[in-house]
Amino acid sequence: MMRASSQEWDGQDRSSSSAASRSSSSNHVSLEPPVTQSVRHRSLNSPIDSIHETKEEHAPESNSVHIRESVIGGLTETNHAFHRGGGPPGGWDNGPAVPAHRRRMVFKRNALWWLLHFIQVLVLSIIVILLLVAVGVPVSDNGVPQPGDYTKMEFDWKTDPRSYLKPMDSNFTDYNVLLDAHMHTTYSDGVLSPKQAIDYAIANGYNAVIVTDHQTVAGSIAAKKYAEKHHSDQITVITGMEYTCCRIHMNLIGINKSVAVTPPFPSDDELRDVIDKVHDMGGLVIVNHIPWSNATMLPWNDARLPNNPTREQLLDWGVDGFEVVNQNTFDLRSYQFVQENSDRLVALTGSDMHYPGSSYAWTTINAENRTAEAILDEIRNRRTSFLLDASGTRPLQLAPYNKNYFKYAPWGLIGDYFYGYADKYTGQYSFQGTFCQNEVLDTHGTMM
């Protein structure tokens, strides 16, 4: 009885399955092949027409069509799930096979997205780099503000070089003037105002100075006014300027009016005219720092001031003397030349102060009094010697930090970084808006 029931049920089941199969076939919604057919998957690289095949025989044509429609419908859903971050746990191999043309479409779409993303990042990077160059390089070229705020510096000490130094001329023991014959202020390229320059000179043991800003006497006149008002019993200021070009630097001292500067490379005759003009004004001409002027500059392998006149030429043109100590450099050759022509030349020393630091030399003079006229008379008569301290004076002090420096320094460093790809050589500045050498740009190919 059980057997009959089982067979009867089995028959009903088969009958029902057969009916359902026919019904599904007529409505084109069949999802599976007949039971007699077993399906296996090939790899994703197989064409859609060969994904399903039977072990014994191919499915009827109508069933194949239904299978393809079913697979394609499932693929669409799977694609959507994949792009939402979902999909079957096992990836594509656990779901319907992907047609080749759809895989190519997905690959092209992804490749295009990555390409556009790369181009976007590249363009943005180039824009950022150009902006950094546009801001950083000009800041680097024009210079960031000084790290130190020199406007706040004060000099509250007093150095006495007499207490430990003797004059170069051992017979020159009687003197009442300690002169700095070369210094700068903010009227040219110095960092100290005329007031500060005078205070600095007093602190370092000078009781007379010649202020010689580049191309102008204005700084010396301002310093003279300040000294006469506040320190008339401590220091005397002699007016002057530093004539500056690409051939020579000369201090024009004892004048109250600026001398017009000739072109950056004046001829010999033009230099003679300058010397004569100063003499007509009652002043003196002192040739500055010959070792510095003749020092070799690279990459030109030429003097810092090309075609610098010789000492013999300058003597013939009528100069009054030479600076034999500049900062901490003792120009022995010029000193000897002055000694050889002591009836025509005088020796002076100068700190050439642009930044406050140690003092190294003091010109010694024994004047009738400490007026500018009395000191200039002794210089004209070539009665000078000097004290020399090669180590320099103490104390020293650092300027307080400049807040603006920290605002601009990073941009200047960025500009310096880009200049790391090339070295730009401009040469010595003429103080007339040009340079004394032709610009050289040396690129570093290994860094490109």
Side-chain angles (χ1 to χ4, degrees):
M1 191 169 184
M2 289 291 292
R3 179 186 299 274
S5 297
S6 176
Q7 290 175 351
E8 188 175 337
W9 174 259
D10 188 45
Q12 290 175 358
D13 184 54
R14 289 175 182 274
S15 177
S16 298
S17 297
S18 178
S21 176
R22 286 192 301 272
S23 175
S24 299
S25 176
S26 62
N27 293 322
H28 300 285
V29 293
S30 176
L31 299 177
E32 296 181 356
V35 176
T36 57
Q37 296 174 341
S38 63
V39 178
R40 63 186 179 88
H41 292 284
R42 290 190 177 181
S43 67
L44 289 175
N45 293 326
S46 303
I48 189 65
D49 289 337
S50 58
I51 291 178
H52 300 284
E53 64 179 25
T54 62
K55 292 181 179 178
E56 300 175 359
E57 62 183 38
H58 292 287
E61 180 64 21
S62 61
N63 283 345
S64 298
V65 172
H66 304 327
I67 291 170
R68 285 195 295 271
E69 291 176 352
S70 173
V71 170
I72 292 172
L75 175 62
T76 302
E77 292 184 5
T78 305
N79 256 340
H80 291 167
F82 175 75
H83 286 293
R84 290 194 304 269
W92 290 108
D93 286 339
N94 293 337
V98 181
H101 73 281
R102 281 192 171 274
R103 283 187 289 105
R104 287 193 295 270
M105 287 174 58
V106 171
F107 176 78
K108 290 179 179 179
R109 183 166 59 247
N110 289 341
L112 180 61
W113 185 88
W114 282 108
L115 178 61
L116 293 176
H117 182 68
F118 172 77
I119 293 174
Q120 183 182 31
V121 171
L122 180 63
V123 170
L124 289 175
S125 300
I126 292 174
I127 291 174
V128 169
I129 290 173
L130 291 176
L131 287 174
L132 291 175
V133 171
V135 176
V137 169
V139 172
S140 179
D141 280 342
N142 298 325
V144 297
Q146 295 279 355
D149 186 358
Y150 292 94
T151 63
K152 293 181 170 57
M153 291 192 74
E154 296 181 353
F155 311 97
D156 56 359
W157 63 84
K158 183 63 181 290
T159 298
D160 182 12
R162 299 168 183 261
S163 63
Y164 68 101
L165 296 173
K166 294 181 179 181
M168 176 64 72
D169 182 352
S170 59
N171 296 320
F172 202 102
T173 57
D174 191 12
Y175 55 90
N176 59 359
V177 174
L178 292 170
L179 171 70
D180 182 357
H182 185 177
M183 65 189 312
H184 297 271
T185 73
T186 50
Y187 276 74
S188 59
D189 57 346
V191 298
L192 299 183
S193 67
K195 171 190 178 301
Q196 290 176 302
I198 296 305
D199 294 343
Y200 164 84
I202 294 172
N204 284 282
Y206 299 102
N207 60 9
V209 296
I210 305 176
V211 178
T212 54
D213 280 309
H214 296 282
Q215 324 296 50
T216 180
V217 299
S220 64
I221 292 174
K224 184 179 179 68
K225 289 180 179 178
Y226 168 77
E228 289 176 346
K229 182 176 182 180
H230 298 281
H231 301 288
S232 59
D233 60 334
Q234 291 180 285
I235 195 166
T236 301
V237 176
I238 298 172
T239 56
M241 62 172 277
E242 184 171 14
Y243 174 92
T244 311
C245 67
C246 286
R247 291 193 62 192
I248 193 171
H249 289 193
M250 300 184 296
N251 277 346
L252 315 181
I253 65 176
I255 60 173
N256 296 308
K257 184 179 179 181
S258 299
V259 174
V261 180
T262 50
F265 289 93
S267 66
D268 292 354
D269 289 339
E270 287 172 322
L271 290 176
R272 281 177 182 267
D273 291 341
V274 170
I275 296 168
D276 291 342
K277 184 174 184 178
V278 173
H279 288 159
D280 291 342
M281 297 170 67
L284 300 171
V285 178
I286 307 298
V287 179
N288 292 339
H289 47 60
I290 288 182
W292 179 90
S293 301
N294 279 324
T296 302
M297 288 193 75
L298 294 175
W300 303 275
N301 205 30
D302 197 3
R304 177 180 277 112
L305 299 184
N307 196 22
N308 187 241
T310 66
R311 295 174 181 85
E312 290 74 16
Q313 284 179 301
L314 292 165
L315 177 63
D316 183 58
W317 296 348
V319 299
D320 299 288
F322 288 82
E323 184 179 61
V324 297
V325 179
N326 177 271
Q327 299 182 36
N328 61 347
T329 299
F330 176 35
D331 182 2
L332 177 60
R333 182 68 192 94
S334 290
Y335 177 73
Q336 292 171 335
F337 189 74
V338 169
Q339 296 300 306
E340 293 165 2
N341 298 276
S342 58
D343 59 331
R344 300 175 60 185
L345 297 173
V346 65
L348 296 180
T349 66
S351 67
D352 201 358
M353 191 273 293
H354 292 79
Y355 294 83
S358 294
S359 293
Y360 298 94
W362 298 255
T363 299
T364 57
I365 295 173
N366 189 22
E368 183 177 346
N369 53 62
R370 284 198 301 104
T371 62
E373 292 75 15
I375 294 172
L376 284 170
D377 282 342
E378 292 301 308
I379 295 174
R380 287 189 185 94
N381 291 314
R382 300 172 295 282
R383 292 191 290 260
T384 66
S385 186
F386 59 92
L387 308 178
L388 179 63
D389 180 0
S391 300
T393 58
R394 297 186 184 91
L396 298 175
Q397 67 174 211
L398 294 173
Y401 276 114
N402 182 356
K403 294 181 180 179
N404 287 330
Y405 169 77
F406 296 103
K407 293 180 181 178
Y408 294 98
W411 294 105
L413 292 173
I414 290 172
D416 292 341
Y417 167 77
F418 288 110
Y419 271 131
Y421 291 92
D423 285 325
K424 180 180 174 183
Y425 302 95
T426 56
Q428 175 61 38
Y429 184 55
S430 69
F431 287 88
Q432 299 183 48
T434 61
F435 291 89
C436 302
Q437 287 80 21
N438 294 324
E439 182 178 299
V440 174
L441 185 65
D442 182 16
T443 58
H444 305 309
T446 56
M447 293 183 65
M448 297 298 182

